[in-house]
Amino acid sequence: MTSQTTLAGPGQQPGEPDRPDSQDGLQAGLKNRHLSMIAIGGVIGAGLFVGSGAGIAAAGPAILLSYALVGAMVVFVMRMLGEMAVARPSSGSFSAYADRALGRWAGFSIGWLYWFFWVVVLAVEATAGAKILESWIPGVPQWAWALIVMVVLTATNLVSVGSYGEFEFWFAGIKVVAIGAFVIVGLLAVFGILPGSDHAASGLSHLTDTGGFFPEGPGAILTGVLMVVFSFMGSEIVTLAAGESEDPQRAVSKATNSVIWRIAIFYLGSIFVVLTLLPWNDPSIVEDGSYVAALNAIGIPHAGQVMDVIVLTAVLSCLNSGLYTASRMAFSLGQRGDAPKAFAKVNKRGVPQAAILSSVVFGFVAVFFNYQWPDTVFAFLLNSSGAVALFVWLVICFTQLRMRGIILRETPEKLIVRMWLFPYLTWATIAMISFVLVYMLTDDAGRDQVLLSLLVAALVVAISLVRDARARKAKAAVPAE
């Protein structure tokens, strides 16, 4: 693929040839409709369908404020990332930008941590999908379904980036249509105008009629934040995929500008519908899941089976995108010399085959750990990758603080998307993310995630610093010889 920018990479002077990660051999096989749906569907994870019930039970109607706070944080992070990605589309996205702005150690560390996060997600999603499929066809064991799902989506990613885009287009399309229909039908039922429904028109009364809007106290908003923050991970995928599109600047600009309404409709809109259809403490919200409980309240037949299909679609979408994202990050690391060189090679179809296979192999190993040692080895993998999403967002913030000056100095004409109220809103976002990390230390489950994730992050940073020190030593020894 021809380089889209002239922004100098790490160690370069303006005007010198770009670093390899923008002349990477990847094919521009993603169409605009693929990028649009990846952008829209990327923010809808399986966690929204599966985990929202627990959040509602913990915070009551105030969970809406939890979703709004995290949603605002994601909007700001995406705006910063969009600013950098429009100026310099790259398959390494924020890892490549951190490499340029903060140093090789930062690009290496956050790139590998992000890769680690997604290969663990592969195991989680494969297992979740296998459970649903086994409930439909119990004759096939769960581990076999997990294997089948992983093999099929690996084959899809190996064929071409276009096949990944096509699968994701339909997976994301189903999620988008399902949530859109849920919001519309739910609102009609709330106000008593849904044809054929016997649901009593409750209006907005359920938001306050069971203990008020803050039934568990205002502090429950923060508890809700911890429970919902990780369901937003994945919104940044479009900036990695943009590097393989025909018009990356346009795709990233569009995705960045639309993230506000996407979060407003899909997250706040759907949770609002659940909270207005049912009292927040209705046992069915936790027992059946928030969306199934809402559909049952409306009188939609076979609500559980309908939601199983939608959740399976969300799981397959996340698995498909997770494999794509992990492989492209591994590919970019290979291009920058931070991973084996084989990761940076593409086959005749423009696909980084070694990067894909290495990512899926680790995913298979993680699936095995999940079945063999779910409460020890796999629990460690989950917890040690649990806070990586927040680390990634922090790095994006600090990177954007430096990259703004670099872009203005070297290629100011490429500063098309700008972060609002720079640098004040960037610093405010850093403070918000840092507060969430600190608050997680007060939560039993959150504490393990933060501490173990910090341990893994420290190990990766240490490896990076040792590599850099050896490289400098070797370089200094050349003239002496």
Side-chain angles (χ1 to χ4, degrees), residues 211-257:
F213 190 75
F214 300 98
E216 302 294 335
I221 297 173
L222 295 177
T223 303
V225 165
L226 300 188
M227 302 183 79
V228 307
V229 66
F230 300 107
S231 65
F232 283 84
M233 193 64 174
S235 54
E236 70 288 333
I237 290 175
V238 68
T239 63
L240 282 82
E244 293 177 81
S245 68
E246 297 168 353
D247 189 356
Q249 285 90 350
R250 179 176 176 273
V252 173
S253 296
K254 188 175 179 181
T256 303
N257 292 330

Side-chain angles (χ1 to χ4, degrees), residues 88-139:
R88 190 184 188 190
S90 169
S91 59
S93 188
F94 50 84
S95 173
Y97 310 142
D99 188 310
R100 174 68 177 96
L102 304 178
R104 293 298 302 275
W105 69 271
F108 175 95
S109 302
I110 205 62
W112 276 113
L113 285 172
Y114 194 66
W115 178 86
F116 174 57
F117 172 86
W118 279 110
V119 292
V120 173
V121 167
L122 293 182
V124 174
E125 300 299 338
T127 303
K131 287 181 180 178
I132 296 174
L133 290 167
E134 186 190 29
S135 69
W136 293 349
I137 309 176

Side-chain angles (χ1 to χ4, degrees), residues 368-387:
F368 172 75
F369 287 155
N370 192 13
Y371 287 112
Q372 192 68 28
W373 301 290
D375 299 323
T376 53
V377 179
F378 191 69
F380 172 80
L381 290 178
L382 277 180
N383 286 325
S384 59
S385 64

